[in-house]
Amino acid sequence: MSNEQEEAAFLARYEKLNPAQKTAVDAVYGPVMVIAGPGTGKTEVLSMRIAQLLRSEAQVQPHEILCLTYTDEATHAMRRRLVQIIGPAAHKVQIFTFHGFCNTVIQSFPEHFGKGNMQPISDLERIETLHEIIDKLPPGNPLRRLSGEIYFDTKRLNELFNFMKKEAKTSKEISDAIDLYIASLPNNPEYQYKRKYKDFQAGDVKKELLDSEVKRMEQTRAAANLFDVYLEKLKEAGRYDFTDMILWVLRAFKEAPAILQQYQERFQFILVDEFQDTNGAQSELLYELTKFWDDPNLFVVGDDDQSIYEFQGARVKNIIEFYERFKEHIEVIVLTDNYRSSQAILDMATSSINNNQQRLIRQVESLKLNKDIVAKNPRFADGKDNIRPRIKQYPNLLHEQADIV
């Protein structure tokens, strides 16, 4: 496409945006947080904002833009849409998943990382490694079992180590957190008698319950202390998992400032999709890339009501931490016009999610956010598709499938 055609294509799409979407697209500088409800056109907003950066007075070049998404599918969808809007220049915009971006950093500095001969670890190799660690536990270790299922803690070790990687936590940080938690237990009402019971007065500590929880925490501490052993075994075997790549890059950014500075200078504008699904390590990577500025050109799109990857380490509180970090400069935009569903479905979903006490509107009340989603798709204007949803219960999965078919 010629420049005139690209401009015409952009303006045609821009005019179709609603006011909130236009505000997000036009927010060029500083930290921006877009709370995008379901079906509110967040992908279009991200794509159009990239196009707007390229045509703004800031004279941004495509290679100066970094867009981080959560899945490979999302990166492909973003690239296709950008090609439609800005043509071939879309291929110069750096669009990656977090893991994909870290892989490019590692490949760009082989002399620093020295990971050329390492291979991804298989599930079987991971289990075998954990079994080796358990086999060598010394007498007295809380995780050592002398009879029964001696590998009982394998799954829990794997889950803990994954958590520590994704949240970039060290054994000491876990141990310190356990100390604080144990110290708080005597003052926790759950561990106190609520009324007089036998020889105990109201407010006395339930010693047996407290001792049981302390024992559980000491087992967790013992497990966390094996984390470095696990990492060393992976290194010896020449194995890694995808989360390791993020930790390697984080470590490189801290140990080799020259590497970090290259990326800070290169990427003047950073955009993040599905921000609610980022975990601690991914958020830390983002803040390392932008810590040179007090008010970085950092644009995140997410929705605390759509966080579905908590089991993979994602944390809704990342959105809250982002706001608190940049609240002196941040611009918050909420997208509430939905183009996917009928109002009846949206009302039902809203009535359900309103029971969630962890929602952003309750955590940061000073924002005074309105997250009432409104149906705007003309398809639902006549009301024919506004059939109220019904809750149906089935005795088993087969009955459910048959009824849906």
Side-chain angles (χ1 to χ4, degrees):
M1 290 189 296
S2 66
N3 291 339
E4 292 78 9
Q5 290 174 319
E6 291 174 5
E7 181 69 8
F10 173 85
L11 292 175
R13 296 181 83 115
Y14 184 83
E15 289 305 315
K16 294 180 181 179
L17 300 177
N18 61 49
Q21 289 174 327
K22 288 180 179 178
T23 300
V25 168
D26 293 338
V28 174
Y29 297 107
V32 180
M33 180 169 68
V34 178
I35 306 300
T40 55
K42 66 178 182 60
T43 305
E44 180 73 357
V45 165
L46 278 165
S47 303
M48 289 292 288
R49 183 175 188 270
I50 293 174
Q52 183 72 303
L53 289 175
L54 298 178
R55 63 192 294 277
S56 69
E57 294 180 358
Q59 296 182 331
V60 183
Q61 299 301 308
H63 62 269
E64 296 176 329
I65 300 172
L66 173 64
C67 183
L68 296 171
T69 66
Y70 199 74
T71 65
D72 289 327
E73 181 182 353
T75 64
H76 298 324
M78 180 71 68
R79 184 83 65 189
R80 288 195 300 269
R81 192 169 301 210
L82 263 183
V83 169
Q84 295 174 359
I85 300 172
I86 64 175
H91 296 291
K92 297 180 182 180
V93 177
Q94 304 298 293
I95 306 176
F96 297 102
T97 63
F98 280 90
H99 296 101
F101 170 72
C102 288
N103 187 49
T104 64
V105 177
I106 293 169
Q107 297 300 321
S108 298
F109 296 91
E111 70 284 354
H112 178 87
F113 292 94
K115 310 294 184 181
N117 296 323
M118 298 192 75
Q119 300 293 327
I121 191 171
S122 68
D123 290 339
L124 179 59
E125 288 173 324
R126 182 181 286 107
I127 293 172
E128 290 175 342
T129 302
L130 293 171
H131 284 182
E132 288 177 15
I133 293 174
I134 291 173
D135 287 338
K136 295 180 179 179
L137 289 176
N141 189 291
L143 301 180
R144 179 178 172 127
R145 298 173 184 267
L146 301 178
S147 61
E149 179 51 69
I150 62 174
Y151 300 124
F152 177 81
D153 292 307
T154 300
K155 180 179 179 181
R156 291 194 291 183
L157 276 175
N158 186 45
E159 291 173 347
L160 176 62
F161 293 164
N162 280 338
F163 165 79
M164 292 175 70
K165 286 185 178 185
K166 291 173 180 176
E167 295 301 319
K169 298 295 184 183
T170 64
S171 299
K172 184 179 185 306
E173 287 174 323
I174 295 294
S175 184
D176 290 345
I178 288 173
D179 287 337
L180 290 174
Y181 175 67
I182 290 176
S184 72
L185 291 178
N187 298 319
N188 188 328
E190 292 184 16
Y191 294 88
Q192 298 173 346
Y193 287 98
K194 293 181 173 56
R195 58 180 67 87
K196 180 178 171 57
Y197 175 73
K198 295 184 179 180
D199 295 332
F200 301 99
Q201 303 297 320
D204 285 352
V205 173
K206 297 179 180 178
K207 190 174 185 308
E208 289 187 5
L209 185 61
L210 179 65
D211 290 345
S212 175
E213 182 66 2
V214 170
K215 179 181 178 181
R216 191 174 74 87
M217 286 295 101
E218 291 303 334
Q219 289 177 329
T220 302
R221 192 199 306 272
N225 287 338
L226 297 172
F227 183 56
D228 290 337
V229 177
Y230 175 69
L231 294 181
E232 186 60 31
K233 281 191 169 294
L234 292 189
K235 182 179 179 181
E236 291 173 358
R239 295 293 183 267
Y240 71 93
D241 60 31
F242 289 117
T243 305
D244 286 321
M245 292 194 295
I246 295 180
L247 297 182
W248 292 342
V249 172
L250 276 175
R251 193 177 301 119
F253 282 171
K254 294 173 182 177
E255 295 175 353
I259 294 178
L260 173 61
Q261 288 169 6
Q262 287 192 41
Y263 289 95
Q264 288 176 331
E265 292 174 2
R266 182 184 308 176
F267 298 122
Q268 300 297 309
F269 294 83
I270 299 178
L271 303 88
V272 184
D273 191 13
E274 303 290 7
F275 186 67
Q276 80 279 353
D277 288 330
T278 55
N279 58 42
Q282 291 166 335
S283 292
E284 187 176 347
L285 179 72
L286 189 64
Y287 296 140
E288 283 293 319
L289 286 169
T290 58
K291 70 179 183 181
F292 182 80
W293 301 275
D294 292 331
D295 56 341
N297 300 319
L298 180 54
F299 184 95
V300 302
V301 179
D303 184 11
D304 55 307
D305 291 338
Q306 296 185 72
S307 182
I308 61 174
Y309 288 105
E310 179 69 27
F311 67 95
Q312 291 186 345
R315 305 178 305 164
V316 171
K317 68 178 184 179
N318 281 345
I319 294 180
I320 299 172
E321 289 177 356
F322 183 87
Y323 171 77
E324 292 295 335
R325 179 181 290 261
F326 300 115
K327 62 183 178 182
E328 298 299 323
H329 308 281
I330 197 170
E331 180 174 0
V332 180
I333 302 163
V334 184
L335 306 183
T336 57
D337 288 354
N338 176 285
Y339 300 95
R340 183 188 301 161
S341 307
S342 68
Q343 192 62 50
I345 290 176
L346 295 173
D347 290 344
M348 182 71 76
T350 299
S351 67
S352 176
I353 200 67
N354 272 338
N355 294 305
N356 185 352
Q357 297 303 311
Q358 302 302 314
R359 300 184 77 200
L360 186 64
I361 58 176
R362 292 192 173 91
Q363 296 294 312
V364 189
E365 295 182 355
S366 60
L367 282 176
K368 295 182 171 56
L369 299 179
N370 174 20
K371 296 190 66 180
D372 294 334
I373 308 298
V374 180
K376 290 292 185 178
N377 192 322
R379 167 186 168 189
F380 305 113
D382 58 10
K384 292 180 180 179
D385 286 307
N386 287 334
I387 300 173
R388 188 162 184 79
R390 292 178 297 154
I391 299 175
K392 299 188 71 173
Q393 186 174 2
Y394 302 92
N396 56 53
L397 182 61
L398 182 60
H399 284 207
E400 179 184 358
Q401 292 171 339
D403 191 35
I404 291 173
V405 172

